[in-house]
Amino acid sequence: EDQVTQSPEALRLQEGESSSLNCSYTVSGLRGLFWYRQDPGKGPEFLFTLYSAGEEKEKERLKATLTKKESFLHITAPKPEDSATYLCAVLAWGGSYIPTFGRGTSLIVHP
Amino acid sequence: DAGVIQSPRHEVTEMGQEVTLRCKPISGHNSLFWYRQTMMRGLELLIYFNNNVPIDDSGMPEDRFSAKMPNASFSTLKIQPSEPRDSAVYFCASSLGRGGTNEKLFFGSGTQLSVL
């Protein structure tokens, strides 16, 4: 059974204080790892897809990296508007096209 | 495109009543997912359709839940009878389908369901 564990559950940062969110996963064979951002009262919004160990993707202050066991979402010099819940999901090879989601990390960036 | 459209945004009902949630996926998308989100359990898949056919409904809690997709532009999730433990945010999501970045999901804004 595919498993996704995100840590920490919650993170409070000061504006400009860089940090990382972790997503550890267990799958039979990784087809893709996805990061989503969810704002209060809204549905998750796609950020990145990573497919193989060593791959990196960047978007503004966010950079996602991938190893064979985990992914990190690095947030550089965050701003209050980066406050949101960040969700990680994995898709495995083998017939099912259903992603398994982690519980998410709630990020609050204080001005 | 307007994105995935869900209705209603909020639903308050009494225990035992029937609830119907609606979803219009993005045009051209052939995969549709219904998820339920709670603080305790996070995002849980309820059912997955591909080309309007239910492929995996193993996440549907029990016989009180049913889902249909009569055509490529419309899906419903019905709860009958509803119970207080069904209170949650229900999301519909769609994707282009199989392969590469086609697998990223586009979510609707969700339906906040409260069963009293």
Side-chain angles (χ1 to χ4, degrees):
Chain A
E1 182 180 336
D2 303 335
Q3 291 189 336
V4 180
T5 303
Q6 292 189 245
S7 62
E9 290 186 13
L11 182 63
R12 293 177 180 270
L13 300 173
Q14 289 297 126
E15 184 171 1
E17 179 185 2
S18 301
S19 187
S20 297
L21 282 53
N22 178 263
C23 171
S24 297
Y25 63 89
T26 304
V27 295
S28 54
L30 182 68
R31 182 182 181 95
L33 185 142
F34 305 81
W35 283 97
Y36 291 84
R37 169 189 171 131
Q38 185 174 20
D39 292 300
K42 296 186 177 181
E45 183 177 348
F46 171 79
L47 290 173
F48 305 109
T49 308
L50 301 166
Y51 293 101
S52 57
E55 188 175 1
E56 298 182 353
K57 294 276 181 70
E58 287 189 66
K59 181 179 180 179
E60 296 181 354
R61 295 176 292 282
L62 300 177
K63 183 169 79 172
T65 62
L66 181 65
T67 72
K68 290 185 177 180
K69 294 183 178 180
E70 58 192 349
S71 176
F72 291 94
L73 185 64
H74 306 279
I75 304 176
T76 302
K79 298 182 178 182
E81 52 262 43
D82 294 322
S83 298
T85 295
Y86 291 86
L87 296 165
C88 171
V90 297
L91 194 61
W93 290 101
S96 169
Y97 290 87
I98 301 169
T100 300
F101 279 84
R103 296 286 301 275
T105 293
S106 174
L107 172 66
I108 297 176
V109 181
H110 296 284
Chain B
D1 199 316
V4 176
I5 300 173
Q6 290 187 247
S7 64
R9 285 285 280 127
H10 303 275
E11 178 78 39
V12 180
T13 190
E14 293 188 347
M15 184 173 63
Q17 296 299 304
E18 178 179 299
V19 175
T20 300
L21 311 182
R22 297 172 175 80
C23 174
K24 176 179 169 54
I26 292 173
S27 177
H29 284 192
N30 57 28
S31 291
L32 184 137
F33 305 78
W34 281 100
Y35 282 91
R36 177 170 67 178
Q37 187 175 44
T38 61
M39 289 294 292
M40 291 294 295
R41 302 174 69 89
L43 263 176
E44 300 176 281
L45 178 78
L46 298 175
I47 189 168
Y48 160 57
F49 290 88
N50 184 254
N51 291 324
N52 311 338
V53 176
I55 304 298
D56 188 330
D57 66 354
S58 59
M60 296 286 263
E62 49 200 87
D63 291 344
R64 297 186 299 107
F65 285 67
S66 63
K68 294 182 179 180
M69 192 164 185
N71 56 62
S73 59
F74 185 64
S75 178
T76 60
L77 178 68
K78 185 177 294 185
I79 307 172
Q80 166 63 22
S82 58
E83 296 182 2
R85 61 191 168 122
D86 301 330
S87 298
V89 181
Y90 291 80
F91 287 105
C92 175
S94 69
S95 72
L96 280 167
R98 307 178 180 194
T101 56
N102 290 340
E103 292 153 344
K104 65 182 179 183
L105 302 187
F106 294 80
F107 284 81
S109 295
T111 295
Q112 174 74 59
L113 174 64
S114 297
V115 183
L116 307 178

